[in-house]
Amino acid sequence: MPETVKKTIARTRAEFTGEPEEGAFAGVPRDGSLGLDTCLREQRALRALVALGLFNRRGLGEARPPSRWGLHTLVAYDITMSPRYNRLVLLTNAPHNVAPYLLPSNDGGSSLPGLRLEEFRGRRTYVARHLPTGAEPVITGNPSGTWSASRRPSPRSDFYSVDEPLSASERARLDEVPVLSADAECLLAGLATRIATQDPRGRWAIGNWFSDPLRRPGRLNDGSEEWYGKQLWGSVDRWRFWWNGFPYVDDVAASLTAPRIGISGATWRRVGDSVDVRLGTATLSLYGRRASFLRTVGRSA
């Protein structure tokens, strides 16, 4: 692909994702897409697990097992996903605060089961490895979305390293995750990579599942615990996602199906009180608040 074409695609991608153009450029694949869903199989599996961790929290009926991972707290941080073909890069202005929510350590707190610190680069970058999938996530505070080649000791010495095998507790937690079909895995992975996306024309925004960057009228969250409740659960091809508060359900559907930014082949349609996003044989039913004054964009079935 000519560099000029790749730069044009990167600029379009950055308009949707909020990435710096340098980071967006690194994520543009050869297939001409924006690259949010073009990745290794192990990356897709990792991203689906991240989605289950982010989008399960007490407050909506029975708490599902991934709510115990504690990843849902990450939505309180300003995180921009910069998905690449062979890694998932999390851009944040607080990498030393975000890393402890993902990396297991001796304190036994929040973590993604099976994640290990591979190396610390420069002063603000954690390069990790997920043992069960083999996928590489990176947490960096560098606005460019790139990082130094120089290795340094980690600011925290108690993060589990790649030499630490998967524990029995981690195996048990991962065994609680239902089987996902390939299409369902792609839909869940798409939720994770789009947490900070928004339409350049201001028609929808995800806002890190925390606040509306478009500052539209109305208040979707009163600050109570229940209003932050989320539940993403299902098995094989059939998944359901309930949440209270922001974002609007139409916005989430648009982020997954709209031209350019959406998952290739994904469509949506309203079914009763849900918005169903479909990809191949898989269906992700979305249950959230609707904004009647918004025009939904995306590919409808």
Side-chain angles (χ1 to χ4, degrees):
M1 177 188 297
E3 186 171 348
T4 54
V5 174
K6 189 173 181 179
K7 284 183 176 179
T8 299
I9 296 173
R11 283 194 292 270
T12 300
R13 169 169 159 153
E15 289 177 350
F16 279 104
T17 64
E19 297 167 272
E21 285 192 18
E22 187 176 357
F25 185 84
V28 174
R30 297 176 181 177
D31 62 8
S33 71
L34 297 188
L36 272 68
D37 310 295
T38 304
C39 63
L40 296 169
R41 291 181 62 184
E42 52 262 37
Q43 273 293 320
R44 188 170 295 116
L46 169 70
R47 296 170 191 186
L49 287 174
V50 169
L52 286 168
L54 286 174
F55 302 129
N56 275 290
R57 177 175 178 157
R58 291 174 299 173
L60 273 178
E62 178 187 357
R64 300 301 183 177
S67 65
R68 298 195 295 270
W69 303 354
L71 303 192
H72 50 75
T73 306
L74 288 173
V75 300
Y77 290 96
D78 185 9
I79 297 174
T80 299
M81 294 291 187
S82 183
R84 319 282 171 86
Y85 180 74
N86 59 346
R87 59 176 59 95
L88 177 63
V89 181
L90 285 70
L91 308 177
T92 175
N93 58 3
H96 305 306
N97 293 339
V98 169
Y101 281 102
L102 287 163
L103 288 162
S105 64
N106 294 331
D107 67 11
S110 302
S111 66
L112 178 64
L115 193 62
R116 299 291 186 267
L117 179 63
E118 196 162 58
E119 55 192 31
F120 184 73
R121 296 282 191 91
R123 297 185 182 278
R124 308 185 73 197
T125 301
Y126 297 82
V127 179
R129 182 72 59 182
H130 189 242
L131 297 183
T133 61
E136 180 183 89
V138 177
I139 306 158
T140 183
N142 297 333
S144 65
T146 60
W147 49 91
S148 168
S150 63
R151 300 182 183 182
R152 297 175 182 269
S154 169
R156 281 187 54 167
S157 60
D158 62 339
F159 287 142
Y160 291 174
S161 73
V162 289
D163 298 324
E164 184 77 22
L166 199 65
S167 69
S169 173
E170 288 177 310
R171 288 185 186 277
R173 290 187 174 191
L174 291 170
D175 286 344
E176 291 177 316
V177 175
V179 174
L180 292 97
S181 69
D183 289 333
E185 189 175 73
C186 188
L187 287 173
L188 268 60
L191 285 171
T193 57
R194 289 166 171 79
I195 63 169
T197 53
Q198 69 179 68
D199 176 46
R201 297 172 62 183
R203 293 175 294 183
W204 56 265
I206 305 302
N208 283 90
W209 291 80
F210 191 74
S211 61
D212 186 4
L214 301 181
R215 300 184 181 277
R216 288 166 286 188
R219 184 172 177 83
L220 283 175
N221 198 315
D222 66 359
S224 68
E225 180 74 8
E226 181 181 352
W227 281 82
Y228 288 107
K230 297 179 180 69
Q231 186 181 120
L232 172 61
W233 204 241
S235 66
V236 193
D237 268 334
R238 194 73 178 91
W239 289 78
R240 295 178 175 85
F241 186 11
W242 294 267
W243 71 93
N244 287 327
F246 189 77
Y248 295 110
V249 67
D250 305 82
D251 290 18
V252 178
S255 74
L256 293 170
T257 64
R260 295 298 284 154
I261 189 65
I263 299 171
S264 178
T267 61
W268 67 268
R269 71 171 183 171
R270 292 192 176 92
V271 180
D273 58 350
S274 73
V275 174
D276 284 4
V277 177
R278 297 186 176 185
L279 178 67
T281 60
T283 300
L284 173 63
S285 296
L286 306 173
Y287 298 85
R289 294 203 167 197
R290 291 181 56 192
S292 59
F293 55 85
L294 293 177
R295 181 168 67 88
T296 302
V297 295
R299 293 178 289 268
S300 60

